[in-house]
Amino acid sequence: MNLEKKMISNFGKVVVGNKLMRKVLSKKFEKTLYKNMVEKDIPLFSRNAQIDKFNGLRAMYLSVLKNLDRGIISKKYAKRLVETLVEQGFFQDDHKKEAILTFKEKYDMTPPGFVTISPTKKCNLNCIGCYASSTSTTAETLDWSILDKTMTELHDEMGMRFFVISGGEPLMYKSEGKSILDLPRKWKDSFFLIYTNGTLITPDIAKEIAELGNITPSISVEGFENETDYRRGKGVYKGILRAMKNLREEGVLFGVSVTATKKNIDVLLTDKFYDHYFEKLGATYMWIFQYMPIGRKFTTELMISPEQRFKLFKKWKYILSEKQWFVADFWNSAILSKGCMSCGKSGGYFYIDWNGNIMPCVFIPYYKHNVKQLFSEGKKISDALFSDFFVKGREWQKKYFNQNGKLGNMLRPCFIRDHHQTFMDIAIASKVLPQDKSAEEAMKDEGYHKTLIEFDEELKRITDPYWKKEYEKK
Ligand code: SF4
């Protein structure tokens, strides 16, 4: 176990119980962390890249501490957070160690660190441009017995202890008498991040989440009330406020997730937006997803431009370093995650949808394997990780990350969006299948590919000189 990991766990245990200790230790911790993360020479990473990583980690723990101090996160919840997310995330219990070792021996690679599962496509809302094309009438749902078997393999054979649940609306999941909260109830040693529209978080559900303690809801917003209700439906914002109040009253750590589009980008570039959700409403983290032209009525029109994306990158850096709230942008924060995390790369992730299709990433709607089919043939989910599609994706990631001793431009890390032609070449050669009708149409749409390839060229033109000057290790 490295020093950094040991420090984080010990720090977590002490700080939960005592406010004064939190203050003193947090300063000490910051100094040691800076020494370890910035002053040390780290292969490929320039000092500026290391500073971003440090600012990211510091914003993460400071966001939790600030909300512990404000009483928004209860001590009881925070203790469970340390036992699950911190300890299980940073350490390897004997069982996890054994699972990882066995996987490594068998496949010659460390397993992915987590998975995103969307157990149901059902949703009570009908948002414009939903990446999942969800509705309230769809029947597409993974049976509990399949979900249970999937979780068991991921937990027992890949050593996973962190699970992301998406949708559809996870709180609408019902199968074989089970609800989505039966996952954290069964896998008590693991931590669950659940993306939700928030409208179903009643006082009773918030209480149940608090009692379980190993879940954090990430509630989707689009900006303030106008932007949120425009995309999600009238009255949704008020429902979100109620959900946040219920969670605060139970001391549950929650976050927000926002899709950046041409319609709300100006709001996302203001300080007011971050102040509103962090300072006023008590969020502890924020995910930013830039609109991906996939899913219902996909359109490249809603995508933010390369210039807007670059502005958002600078805003993200400012929020981390100056406001010290934890924000991660799936495309602009690749310095923190060491690039694209898809394709089940070691420590990275992959995605399983409501039909059991296994995909490299939530934003890559193409697959080769299906969980139900694999199980019926006596095979395992790990077999899907070694399809030509996944293997070639990981080869591309490796080559892009380390370009003859230089770190690839982390301002354009995305396999499907920022390197669209490369992605298409790999997808076609691997004979992938589309997840749904929209993905099938996108695959055949020449205009769509042209727009994405032009986007990539423009992003390269804007960010490559900046990357070279500010981030390339000399
Ligand atoms: S494919 Fe794109 S969105 Fe998916 S993990 Fe990689 S960088 Fe992120």
Side-chain angles (χ1 to χ4, degrees), residues 309-310 313 331-332 334-335 400 408-413 418 459 463 466-467 471:
R309 173 159 154 176
F310 190 45
F313 168 74
W331 289 268
N332 277 331
I335 291 170
Y400 186 76
N409 180 351
M410 292 290 117
L411 271 65
R412 46 185 199 92
D418 306 337
L459 189 67
T463 62
Y466 176 83
W467 178 261
Y471 284 99

Side-chain angles (χ1 to χ4, degrees), residues 330-331 339-342 349 361-364 397 413-417:
F330 249 56
W331 289 268
C340 173
M341 301 176 81
S342 71
Y349 99 115
C361 166
V362 172
F363 298 102
I364 300 182
Q397 283 166 346
C414 184
F415 184 31
I416 182 165
R417 180 195 278 194

Side-chain angles (χ1 to χ4, degrees), residues 414-462:
C414 184
F415 184 31
I416 182 165
R417 180 195 278 194
D418 306 337
H419 302 271
H420 192 70
Q421 186 62 63
T422 310
F423 168 77
M424 284 305 296
D425 293 345
I426 291 175
I428 291 167
S430 309
K431 297 191 173 65
V432 297
L433 296 166
Q435 179 197 24
D436 55 22
K437 203 134 188 54
S438 304
E440 190 181 348
E441 281 167 20
M443 188 62 113
K444 293 180 193 150
D445 186 336
E446 288 304 323
Y448 169 83
H449 298 304
K450 188 169 168 278
T451 308
L452 287 183
I453 290 163
E454 281 167 8
F455 176 99
D456 296 352
E457 283 162 4
E458 184 59 4
L459 189 67
K460 181 174 169 30
R461 191 189 65 73
I462 294 173

Side-chain angles (χ1 to χ4, degrees), residues 185-227:
R185 192 169 288 118
K186 177 163 181 185
W187 281 276
K188 286 189 172 49
D189 62 355
S190 301
F191 194 80
F192 293 78
L193 187 151
I194 299 187
Y195 287 108
T196 168
N197 63 43
T199 57
L200 303 175
I201 302 181
T202 58
D204 283 350
I205 293 284
K207 199 173 175 50
E208 212 177 330
I209 291 175
E211 267 156 22
L212 288 165
N214 55 343
I215 316 166
T216 177
S218 177
I219 301 176
S220 305
V221 301
E222 306 294 336
F224 300 106
E225 185 164 9
N226 282 347
E227 295 82 17

Side-chain angles (χ1 to χ4, degrees), residues 94-145:
D94 287 348
H95 178 253
K96 183 174 170 179
K97 213 183 280 176
E98 175 76 25
I100 292 175
L101 209 71
T102 312
F103 188 97
K104 227 169 151 177
E105 273 168 11
K106 189 167 176 195
Y107 299 107
D108 198 26
M109 71 173 260
T110 305
F114 69 101
V115 69
T116 296
I117 307 179
S118 290
T120 185
K121 193 177 177 181
K122 239 184 213 155
C123 184
N124 54 331
L125 302 183
N126 202 356
C127 307
I128 297 173
C130 171
Y131 88 98
S133 311
S134 294
T135 65
S136 59
T137 49
T138 178
E140 289 162 273
T141 293
L142 266 187
D143 289 344
W144 173 263
S145 41

